[in-house]
Amino acid sequence: MPASDATQRFSSRVDNYVRYRPSYPPQIVTLLKDECGLTANSVVADIAFGTGIFARLILENGNRVFGVEPNANMRQAGEEFLSEFPRFTSVAGTAEDTTLPSHDVDFATAAQAAHWFDLKKARAEFMRVVKPGGWSVLLWNERSVDSTPFLREYEQLVLKFGTDYKEVRRERTTATIHEFFTPTLFHSRVFDNHQDIDYAGLEGRLMSSSYTPQPGDPRCGPMLAELRRIFDAHQVNGKVTLEYNTRVYYAQLT
């Protein structure tokens, strides 16, 4: 599926996404409190909220959250994941057309998603829905690719078997993040994050990625065989570690 079909390309990967994608460091909530004035009374629009991983952190802070998501399968999974939170509302919409009222939220956030946006249109929509003086926040878990022998081999696997990995990997967006924020000056922070996972978790994490061939594709079997070899070569006590740099970019758009 081409990168242009961004709103649908995760439909067949929802179960793995729910079970095996990493969460985000809780220090992000502290950052938003200390530097952006987040309180439990702040209203947050989490754009492209997916299965609700980041929205959950904000809801656990006591906030009212509107989760906007274009993919029906992802949105349903997010609604189930967040069903215990009465202050959560699910909305069918996109980053470029959220359907939310104008100047109605204190924060607009997007986690692991803005690389799919039309950045200029999304910027205009973020400005429309956020109150004057409110904050726009983009963040990613950016997988480390060469800090350990295991991670180097894992990166080579996705380069070899990924359908369009080079076109969609996170660095493409984080290197051009100014396209969203310009002319506003933005702030950035980086936090360490990681997953210690067994083979089932590693396979599920790989299969949750939009660029990996799925069952039925002739490349899927050889890819999983190579994944098993890499895991066996590097596991310690039945687990390997995926390391991430969690990058956060935030500003009051003007």
Side-chain angles (χ1 to χ4, degrees), residues 6 22 30 43 64 72 75 84 89 100 112 120 128 203 210 228 237 252-253:
T30 303
V43 179
R64 181 89 169 91
R75 191 169 61 250
E84 66 188 271
T89 300
L100 297 175
Q112 214 72 17
K120 292 184 178 179
R128 185 187 69 79
E203 181 178 313
S210 68
R228 182 82 232 194
N237 296 323
Q252 295 169 295
L253 293 180

Side-chain angles (χ1 to χ4, degrees), residues 95-204:
E96 300 80 11
D97 181 15
T98 64
T99 77
L100 297 175
S102 296
H103 307 308
D104 198 50
V105 301
D106 302 291
F107 287 78
T109 64
Q112 214 72 17
H115 50 289
W116 302 117
F117 299 169
D118 180 315
L119 292 179
K120 292 184 178 179
K121 291 181 179 179
R123 183 189 199 281
E125 183 68 353
F126 276 47
M127 285 193 67
R128 185 187 69 79
V129 302
V130 173
K131 298 174 184 177
W135 290 82
S136 295
V137 184
L138 307 181
L139 60 144
W140 284 269
N141 280 320
E142 187 176 275
R143 177 172 46 80
S144 299
V145 299
D146 61 1
S147 56
T148 68
F150 161 68
L151 291 172
R152 286 192 287 272
E153 288 204 55
Y154 185 88
E155 176 70 2
Q156 290 305 306
L157 179 144
V158 294
L159 283 168
K160 178 179 179 180
F161 292 101
T163 55
D164 55 355
Y165 173 62
K166 292 180 181 180
E167 289 73 28
V168 303
R169 56 183 167 181
R170 304 299 165 266
E171 294 87 342
R172 178 174 62 89
T173 296
T174 56
T176 58
I177 198 71
H178 62 276
E179 293 181 11
F180 178 83
F181 289 104
T182 298
T184 306
L185 296 176
F186 62 89
H187 311 273
S188 64
R189 291 282 298 275
V190 181
F191 299 97
D192 292 332
N193 199 10
H194 71 278
Q195 289 176 288
D196 294 321
I197 48 179
D198 59 14
Y199 177 76
L202 182 65
E203 181 178 313

